[in-house]
Amino acid sequence: MMHSRAPNPVMQIVTYGAVFFCVTSLTIVWTRFSGGLALVWPGAAIAAALFLTIPRSHSLAAAVTLAAFSTLATALFGLGPVWAIPFALVNVFEAWLIAWLLVRFRPQQDYVESEIGIVWLGFLAGIVGPLAASIPGGILASQVIAGGWQEHSFSWFIAHGLGTLLVMPLTLLLASYKKPVFARLLKRDRILPFIGMTLLTIGISAVALLQSTFPTLFLPVVPLVLASFRFGRFGAAITVLLITLASAGTLGTDTGVFAELTIPLWQKALFLQFYLSILVLLSFPLAVALKQRQRFMEELANREAMQRLIADHSDDALLQLDQHGMIRFASPASIRLSGRDKVVDLHLAAFFSEFDKEIVDRTLRSAAQYPGHTEIIERSVERGGQTRWLEAKLRAIDSSKHQASAYVVTIRDVTARKLDEIQASREARTDALTGLPNRRAFLDVLEDQLEFAGEEPFALALVDLDYFKRVNDSYGHAVGDAVLKQVAEIMRESANDNCFFARLGGEEFGMIAVGPARETAAIICEKLRLAIQRHVMTDNDGGTFNITASLGIARIAERCSSSMAMQAADGPLYSAKAAGRNRLRHAQDMGRHGENRKPPLEDSRVAANS
């Protein structure tokens, strides 16, 4: 069932069997009065612990060994050899059942390591297992001892439940401890206090149990709590065991406080069980909680040391804020990223510009509303005359009142990443050959202008190089690419904040003119046409040639789709091509509802340079 901690299961079975024999024999001798059943039975705890700590393949061997020792103890000191084997079978069955139930319902096997594990141990080992075995045990006892089987079953349940509940935690602890643990216990700074605690427990238990003048049964709680604090679960188990032995001794000899109780012996045993159970339920969960707290504090100290190490050597600023967004802790990197000599007791907005405080406050409120969710702020700041980008990730820590009691924040310099993003965006919107904006960028600008075309009309022109295919066929694509680059350079010379040029694809270009340039768009296009016509191109052999361009221009004065706007300029471009190329054609004005608001086509033409 439980993974074996012993290197040799056979030796473990023999050892447990011998201890089982000694303990059960002494129990029968000391606690079996008037020829009845033993008042306390710790043997089930020892046997169940054996089943829990050996491999399942050795369970049968363990059962046979325990049955043999139980038979021997009962035959020598109990009910004689005739009934020894049946009682041994019930005893072994009870121990096996307890172990099976524990593994079945608490597979974590934390029976002495957590509060819930202790609860399961007490319920299954102290109640369910003994209750199941008490029926066959009581029936057997009624065949040998005077009295009904119900009475004997109750006595069995009390004795076995008490013994298992008291002894099994200690047995499991001893089975789980290793040599280094005992080596630490045997050191002088621990063994002497342990011996002192043992003597104190014995002395206080004697005072509380052997006299009946004053009600002092609460006194053993004092060494029990002290032992739990000083020695943890092991100390609590040893102290409870000492108090149990002292109580069983006074009960068996009918002296002290138990002698004054005018009730039958089995009721005294029931009272003793209740008393000791209270001690177990008081001490063991306390010891486990203290152990868990010690582990938690050690883990917390290790985690804090690790976080301090990371914070001291991290390029990111690590911050802790109070519920108002004020900085209570800041790592060394905060000085560099904030540009300040000190940031503690300042608001988180101190890392950003004064105009960003409202954004920071809004982000803090959003984080407080959804604790556990990470909010991100990304803003540009000025540091040393340079523009830097900072990224802050913050998360609220939820308090018991369901309000943000604090925040944790990391701040990182993401300038390099931001520049890469800007460069990638620029490249995605830039024509790789000419360096002009590409069709995607052109359409984005066009969409923006169309949003307000009714209030702010603009001019849209399409430019197409004439007979460009002949250039590629005659001089090669390398010369054709050079021509496109030179045309783009001419356009760049004409571009400004109000005049936007882009390469739309192949030999086709586009222009958008806004504001003052809108009124002179025709002049700009005509100058562009002439500049392209007059520019001398060079081929690979040093020869020269000229190219021309046809242009179509439209005035957009109403919101419409980008395709309709492009068609408005494409129509006059087609007319310019059809009319002989190397000319500029104007479209009719696109006004509200597509009505014609200007006279029909106007034609500007300059003779081609052939």
Side-chain angles (χ1 to χ4, degrees), residues 4-24 43 45-51 53-54 58 61-62 65-66 69-70 171 174-175:
S4 176
R5 300 178 185 272
N8 189 338
V10 175
M11 183 60 66
Q12 189 177 8
I13 292 173
V14 173
T15 303
Y16 270 79
V19 173
F20 173 82
F21 173 75
C22 294
V23 170
T24 53
I46 300 172
L50 175 61
F51 284 119
T53 55
I54 61 172
H58 290 72
T65 302
L66 292 172
F69 279 118
S70 179
T171 306
L174 292 173

Side-chain angles (χ1 to χ4, degrees), residues 356-378:
D356 295 329
K357 188 175 188 305
E358 182 178 351
I359 296 176
V360 174
D361 287 335
R362 185 166 61 247
T363 306
L364 287 171
R365 289 194 296 270
S366 178
Q369 188 176 1
Y370 302 102
H373 175 73
T374 300
E375 298 285 343
I376 300 177
I377 305 174
E378 192 176 88

Side-chain angles (χ1 to χ4, degrees), residues 57 89 159 209 225 239 303 322 409 425 528 544 568 573 596 603:
S57 59
L89 295 178
L209 296 169
V225 173
T239 304
R303 188 178 302 174
D322 63 14
V409 184
S425 177
L528 175 65
T544 59
L573 174 62
N596 295 338
D603 185 14

Side-chain angles (χ1 to χ4, degrees), residues 324-337:
H324 303 296
M326 305 301 292
I327 301 172
R328 296 305 176 217
F329 167 79
S331 66
S334 304
I335 304 300
R336 174 178 56 83
L337 293 178

Side-chain angles (χ1 to χ4, degrees), residues 549-571:
S550 299
L551 298 88
I553 186 171
R555 181 177 180 271
I556 311 298
E558 182 179 74
R559 181 175 178 179
C560 62
S561 66
S562 59
S563 59
M564 289 182 63
M566 295 286 285
Q567 290 174 8
D570 193 56

Side-chain angles (χ1 to χ4, degrees), residues 404-426:
S405 59
Y407 300 87
V408 289
V409 184
T410 63
I411 299 181
R412 172 176 297 181
D413 188 331
V414 294
T415 304
R417 190 196 72 191
K418 197 67 179 179
L419 293 178
D420 289 342
E421 291 176 356
I422 294 173
Q423 180 64 24
S425 177
R426 182 182 294 116

Side-chain angles (χ1 to χ4, degrees), residues 222-553:
V222 176
L224 184 60
V225 173
L226 292 177
S228 300
F229 271 96
R230 184 66 177 86
F231 300 104
R233 299 167 299 170
F234 184 78
I238 290 295
T239 304
V240 170
L241 182 60
L242 291 175
I243 299 173
T244 301
L245 293 175
S247 302
T250 56
L251 178 64
T253 57
D254 198 26
T255 58
V257 66
F258 292 104
E260 299 298 322
L261 297 176
T262 57
I263 55 178
L265 182 60
W266 66 269
Q267 291 184 358
K268 293 181 181 180
L270 180 61
F271 172 76
L272 177 59
Q273 179 187 11
F274 173 76
Y275 172 68
L276 294 175
S277 298
I278 293 297
L279 296 183
V280 171
L281 295 175
L282 172 67
S283 62
F284 230 77
L286 174 63
V288 170
L290 291 173
K291 183 64 175 179
Q292 291 179 339
R293 181 179 180 275
Q294 180 183 359
R295 291 177 180 173
F296 173 76
M297 296 302 295
E298 291 175 354
E299 292 176 0
L300 185 62
N302 294 335
R303 188 178 302 174
E304 182 178 0
M306 180 64 70
Q307 290 176 343
R308 290 285 181 176
L309 180 64
I310 294 173
D312 291 344
H313 296 84
S314 175
D315 292 333
D316 298 346
L318 307 180
L319 310 175
Q320 290 181 352
L321 316 180
D322 63 14
Q323 64 270 30
H324 303 296
M326 305 301 292
I327 301 172
R328 296 305 176 217
F329 167 79
S331 66
S334 304
I335 304 300
R336 174 178 56 83
L337 293 178
S338 66
R340 300 173 181 268
D341 296 333
K342 178 184 176 183
V343 296
V344 176
D345 296 330
L346 299 180
H347 194 272
L348 177 61
F351 279 83
F352 306 97
S353 70
E354 59 183 20
F355 306 104
D356 295 329
K357 188 175 188 305
E358 182 178 351
I359 296 176
V360 174
D361 287 335
R362 185 166 61 247
T363 306
L364 287 171
R365 289 194 296 270
S366 178
Q369 188 176 1
Y370 302 102
H373 175 73
T374 300
E375 298 285 343
I376 300 177
I377 305 174
E378 192 176 88
R379 307 297 295 172
S380 61
V381 297
E382 292 294 325
R383 295 286 185 268
Q386 295 182 336
T387 299
R388 313 294 295 177
W389 284 86
L390 297 183
E391 178 190 73
K393 294 183 178 181
L394 58 96
R395 177 178 293 189
I397 302 174
D398 195 13
S399 70
S400 58
K401 297 181 180 180
H402 304 289
Q403 296 178 347
S405 59
Y407 300 87
V408 289
V409 184
T410 63
I411 299 181
R412 172 176 297 181
D413 188 331
V414 294
T415 304
R417 190 196 72 191
K418 197 67 179 179
L419 293 178
D420 289 342
E421 291 176 356
I422 294 173
Q423 180 64 24
S425 177
R426 182 182 294 116
E427 291 176 355
R429 297 166 55 86
T430 301
D431 179 62
L433 177 63
T434 64
L436 287 176
N438 59 16
R439 186 181 188 90
R440 174 181 174 184
F442 183 82
L443 292 177
D444 288 344
V445 174
L446 178 59
E447 292 284 355
D448 291 341
Q449 293 303 132
L450 287 171
E451 286 288 329
F452 308 99
E455 296 80 17
E456 300 178 9
F458 63 96
L460 172 64
L462 296 180
V463 182
D464 191 84
L465 302 183
D466 298 328
Y467 301 114
F468 187 73
K469 185 175 183 302
R470 295 180 183 178
V471 176
N472 284 330
D473 293 343
S474 302
Y475 303 107
H477 287 279
V479 174
D481 290 346
V483 169
L484 293 174
K485 292 178 182 178
Q486 293 177 58
V487 171
E489 188 60 35
I490 295 172
M491 291 181 175
R492 261 190 290 270
E493 293 174 359
S494 302
N496 54 49
D497 292 341
N498 297 315
C499 191
F500 176 80
F501 287 93
R503 183 189 178 198
L504 304 183
E507 66 273 21
E508 186 178 21
F509 298 82
M511 182 198 78
I512 296 175
V514 300
R518 180 197 64 202
E519 303 299 332
T520 60
I523 299 175
I524 295 172
C525 288
E526 182 62 18
K527 288 182 177 180
L528 175 65
R529 185 188 66 81
L530 291 174
I532 293 174
Q533 173 185 305
R534 294 167 181 168
H535 188 81
V536 178
M537 307 292 177
T538 306
D539 61 21
N540 293 328
D541 298 326
T544 59
F545 63 96
N546 295 85
I547 64 168
T548 60
S550 299
L551 298 88
I553 186 171

Side-chain angles (χ1 to χ4, degrees), residues 133-196:
S134 66
I135 296 177
I139 293 174
L140 284 176
S142 66
Q143 305 300 314
V144 185
I145 307 170
W149 71 270
Q150 297 91 341
E151 178 184 349
H152 294 305
S153 293
F154 181 77
S155 299
W156 181 293
F157 171 68
I158 295 297
H160 287 236
L162 171 63
T164 304
L165 184 63
L166 296 177
V167 176
M168 195 163 185
L170 177 60
T171 306
L172 291 176
L173 282 175
L174 292 173
S176 64
Y177 278 173
K178 299 179 180 179
K179 290 183 178 180
V181 176
F182 287 106
R184 289 194 297 269
L185 182 63
L186 292 176
K187 290 183 178 179
R188 178 171 296 181
D189 61 338
R190 291 181 64 85
I191 189 63
L192 293 179
F194 182 76
I195 294 175

